[in-house]
Structure formats: structure tokens, C-alpha cells
Amino acid sequence: MTAHAPDEAASDPIETIRAFNRFYTNRIGVLDRAYLDTPYTLTEARVIYELAARGTTSASQLTEELSLDPAYLSRLLKTFVGKGFVDARKDPADGRGRLLSLTEKGRAVAADLAMRSRESIARLIEPLAQTERLDLTAALHRATTLLAGAPAKAVIRPHRPGDMGRVIASQAQSYAETYGWNADYEALVADICAQFLRHFDPARERCWIAEQDGQFVGSIFLVKASETTAKLRLLHVSDAARGQGLGTRLVTECIRFAQDAGYRRLELWTNDILIAARRIYQAAGFVLEKEEAHHSFGKDLVGQTWALDLDSWQPSRHAS
């Protein structure tokens, strides 16, 4: 077996994953003969877990799902039937097959295993601060998504403490990298966020935060301009989450809330170079009302004012 230096393992994804596997399997004791201080091995526990999750299944499905040798699984199931954990009855769709399910005794074993597993993980993360637990959860979600090969759908939620800093940082960095805007834009976003927090009216204003696999990937604001007019501000979707319709979802949330809050008109100000955002506004029914050249954020730009008549807006026409 070839040994790898620590710095080599850190830069090699395969060695990094192997190192994590060794660390984690040792920490949770999956190689112990008595899994979670029970009479069962890890493989036996996995079969019980799977039967509890599926309700009713077949031996062939278990073999495929758990990648077990059919002969070994057959012997294991026979043992479980003998102990009264598993009920095996003829499959009406396959005369040679058997449908498997846990008995009441088997479900009690599954419940005990689940409780012991939760307690084991709780002890493992107990030393971590709440922010560290959130970071760990997000990292595990992200790892699962990457290895599964399919991105999870972004979740849209109301803002909470700490989100404004993420909004400011993500937008300042994105616009600096993409368009070369200077720190004036970061100052503008910071001021908008500060004003929102200082004067927040939850009945008529809202900030939505989008997260994907626990990562911050977008935001949008609705703020009060007058009793009848609201403003849509700071729509942004990170590069990693684009192409999934997230911008449209954020704008739709904003419009629906504005209608429910009793506004009759929704306005926004943007710049003509933000083509992707403009397409979302147009698709939602916004109409361009005014354009004006200006010099801001270190660049010569063309500002645009768009507006939406909320009295005539219909979700079925403009949003799914």
C-alpha cells in the first residue's frame, strides 16, 4: 500500500475522501462487531433500516439497493424470520417471490436502532457551536448533491439575522467580478439593507433568501414606497444557481406578496446591461417606463425604471 503525505492527500480528492471515510467510520464505530452496542452488525442493521423505510419490499430489491450477495441476504433474512423480526409472504405478482416486511417485533428493533443512531450523532456534534453545526449540515448536503449528480431545488425563505451581510458580500463581489463595478455599489447595497432593517414593516415589506444545499444563492427585497406603490430591490442569483428558474421564482414571490399586501403598483430600477434580470421582469409583465444615462459605480451606465400594474397581474399568465 502506498503512503501519501498529508499535503498530497489534501490536494487529491480521492485521498481526501478516503481519509474522511477512515476517520468517520472509526468515529461512529461502523466496523465494530456490535453496531451501536446492539447484537447486530452494520449489514444486519442496514437491512432492518431498509425494511423499516420501505414498508414492504422483495429480496431482489434489497439485494440491488444494498449491493449484497443474494445468498448472504437469503441466509440473513431466514435468520430474521426465525427471530420473528420479518414476515415473508408469497408475492401475488411473482409465484416464486416473497414480499418482506417487519413484524411488530422487527419494528421495535428498527426504532431502537434509529434512536441509538440519533444519540450517537448527537454526541458526535455536541462540542460544535450552532454555526458550526449549520456549516457541517450544509457541507454534507452539498457533498450528497454532488455525488448524486442532481442539484437540489433551491429553498426560498424569509430573512433572518446574518443574512444582510451575505446579501452585501455576494452582490458586491459578483458585480465587481462581472461588470467591474467599484465599492460605490457595495455601499449602496449596504445602505439599502441597513434601511430595510431599521424601518422593516413585516406587514408590507419582505426580504426573501434563496438557499441551495444550505448555501446562500440568491435574494430579493420588497420595500414600501407609498401606500399604493412598492419597490422591488436587489434581485440577485449566484452563478452556481442560474439556469434553474430561481430568478423567476423570487420575482413571483415578490409580486404575489405585493398584491396580498394591498399595493397597486410595483416599481424597480435596474441597468440595461443586466440582461438576464431584464428578461425576467419582462416575462413577469413589467413595462419599461423610463431610461436615463448616468455615471455610477465607476462606469457609464443606462438606468431603467420598470413598473407592473398589480391590479391586472395574473399569476397564471406570468408565473407557474
Side-chain angles (χ1 to χ4, degrees), residues 7-245:
D7 57 343
E8 180 183 351
S11 61
D12 183 340
I14 294 175
E15 288 306 315
T16 299
I17 293 171
R18 292 184 65 209
F20 175 78
N21 285 342
R22 292 193 296 273
F23 160 77
Y24 191 65
T25 53
N26 286 333
R27 286 297 298 271
I28 65 174
V30 299
L31 301 180
D32 296 345
R33 176 62 183 85
Y35 177 62
L36 296 174
D37 295 321
T38 69
Y40 314 108
T41 64
L42 173 62
T43 302
E44 291 170 335
R46 288 178 66 206
V47 172
I48 294 172
Y49 282 141
E50 193 65 26
L51 285 168
R54 287 175 172 263
T56 301
T57 188
S58 66
S60 60
Q61 288 174 320
L62 281 178
T63 299
E64 181 178 355
E65 183 69 25
L66 300 178
S67 300
L68 294 176
D69 176 71
Y72 171 77
L73 179 61
S74 178
R75 293 192 298 271
L76 182 57
L77 289 171
K78 186 176 293 185
T79 300
F80 283 166
V81 170
K83 290 181 177 181
F85 294 169
V86 172
D87 176 62
R89 65 183 188 275
K90 183 179 293 187
D91 185 350
D94 180 0
R96 295 177 300 174
R98 292 291 184 269
L99 292 179
L100 308 169
S101 60
L102 291 178
T103 63
E104 184 176 348
K105 188 176 181 180
R107 289 193 294 273
V109 171
D112 179 63
L113 284 167
M115 179 190 69
R116 290 171 181 267
S117 178
R118 288 187 61 87
E119 290 175 348
S120 174
I121 299 301
R123 289 192 296 271
L124 183 64
I125 66 174
E126 186 176 6
L128 302 180
Q130 182 62 24
T131 54
E132 293 173 322
R133 295 184 188 189
L134 292 174
D135 288 343
L136 175 63
T137 302
L140 293 176
H141 274 303
R142 180 62 175 158
T144 301
T145 299
L146 288 172
L147 294 175
K153 186 176 182 180
V155 174
I156 298 174
R157 61 165 176 80
H159 76 283
R160 60 190 180 210
D163 282 333
M164 295 304 146
R166 297 182 183 93
V167 170
I168 296 165
S170 64
Q171 296 212 19
Q173 182 177 359
S174 176
Y175 287 108
E177 293 176 350
T178 306
Y179 301 106
W181 291 4
N182 63 20
D184 291 344
Y185 181 71
E186 185 171 2
L188 173 66
V189 177
D191 184 59
I192 292 172
C193 290
Q195 292 295 324
F196 176 81
L197 291 177
R198 290 193 185 102
H199 306 292
F200 178 48
D201 178 358
R204 307 207 74 195
E205 297 181 313
R206 190 63 57 91
C207 167
W208 292 268
I209 300 298
E211 290 182 331
Q212 190 169 42
D213 299 318
Q215 299 296 312
F216 180 98
V217 293
S219 59
I220 195 171
F221 290 70
L222 179 90
V223 297
K224 177 181 176 181
S226 70
E227 289 301 316
T228 59
T229 300
K231 287 187 176 182
L232 183 159
R233 309 202 76 172
L234 299 182
L235 169 65
H236 185 254
V237 175
S238 68
D239 290 343
R242 290 182 182 172
Q244 304 174 31

